[in-house]
Amino acid sequence: YLKTKAAVVTLQSAYRGMKVRKRIKDCNKAAVTIQSKYRAYKTKKKYATYRASAIIIQRWYRGIKITHHQHQEYLNLKKTAIKIQSAYRGIRVRRHIQHMHRAATFIKAMFKMHQSRISYHTMRKAAIVIQVRFRAYYQGKMQREKYLTILKAVKILQASFRGV
């Protein structure tokens, strides 16, 4: 009986040991599975955080790139607008200068014409005065010659009439 009891106890002990070892093995397997799932969860969470951070950084970087590109476009448009404005202003100023030059030339021509007219009228008046005086002098001379001729004829007639 004691042998049987010892054998039964050994069997029970072996069975219980096997059962406990199997339970420990199952618990270890479950613990490894839980740890694995937890690590996977943490890794996925970390990955999601990194991915969200990367997306935020990418958006920020793309925003900066787009801003830089738009700024460059703005500067190019501004440069082009300034060139167009300067060309337009240059044309306008040149036209204004040309207009002022024509006006100055016209004023100069009118002034010269006015001076020429004054000079012409002065010379004409002087010529008329000279002509009037010359004609008067010439007419006076002619009248004197006529008078002298008539006087000579009268003296001859008087002398011949008086018998001298």
Side-chain angles (χ1 to χ4, degrees):
Y1 168 78
L2 281 175
K3 265 189 175 181
T4 310
K5 191 176 176 186
V8 168
V9 169
T10 305
L11 272 173
Q12 285 176 344
S13 169
Y15 177 72
R16 285 187 194 124
M18 184 181 81
K19 211 173 163 183
V20 167
R21 279 190 297 276
K22 189 175 178 194
R23 185 163 165 80
I24 288 174
K25 191 177 173 184
D26 287 343
C27 282
N28 276 345
K29 197 175 181 181
V32 166
T33 303
I34 290 170
Q35 287 172 351
S36 170
K37 295 288 183 188
Y38 180 71
R39 282 191 208 111
Y41 166 75
K42 264 185 109 173
T43 305
K44 283 180 184 176
K45 196 172 182 186
K46 202 174 188 181
Y47 172 74
T49 306
Y50 285 164
R51 187 163 190 261
S53 297
I55 289 172
I56 290 170
I57 291 169
Q58 285 173 345
R59 283 184 188 155
W60 173 77
Y61 178 72
R62 287 178 185 143
I64 287 176
K65 270 184 89 170
I66 289 170
T67 303
H68 180 70
H69 181 69
Q70 286 177 342
H71 184 67
Q72 288 300 321
E73 274 187 35
Y74 167 74
L75 290 178
N76 286 340
L77 286 173
K78 185 178 175 186
K79 199 158 103 175
T80 306
I82 288 171
K83 282 183 183 177
I84 291 170
Q85 287 173 346
S86 78
Y88 174 72
R89 287 181 184 137
I91 289 169
R92 221 172 72 198
V93 166
R94 281 190 289 281
R95 281 185 186 162
H96 181 69
I97 289 172
Q98 196 176 33
H99 176 71
M100 296 294 279
H101 182 70
R102 275 195 229 124
T105 305
F106 180 75
I107 290 169
K108 207 160 116 180
M110 289 306 232
F111 182 71
K112 279 186 176 179
M113 185 176 74
H114 176 70
Q115 279 186 327
S116 296
R117 274 190 180 171
I118 289 174
S119 175
Y120 169 75
H121 285 297
T122 306
M123 288 174 71
R124 186 168 181 254
K125 283 179 186 174
I128 290 172
V129 167
I130 291 170
Q131 285 174 351
V132 165
R133 289 199 178 159
F134 179 75
R135 286 180 186 144
Y137 166 77
Y138 186 73
Q139 195 175 12
K141 197 174 170 185
M142 293 307 274
Q143 280 182 350
R144 180 159 172 81
E145 282 180 18
K146 268 188 187 178
Y147 170 74
L148 288 176
T149 309
I150 292 174
L151 184 67
K152 195 176 175 183
V154 167
K155 280 184 184 178
I156 291 173
L157 279 174
Q158 283 178 349
S160 70
F161 185 70
R162 287 185 190 153
V164 178

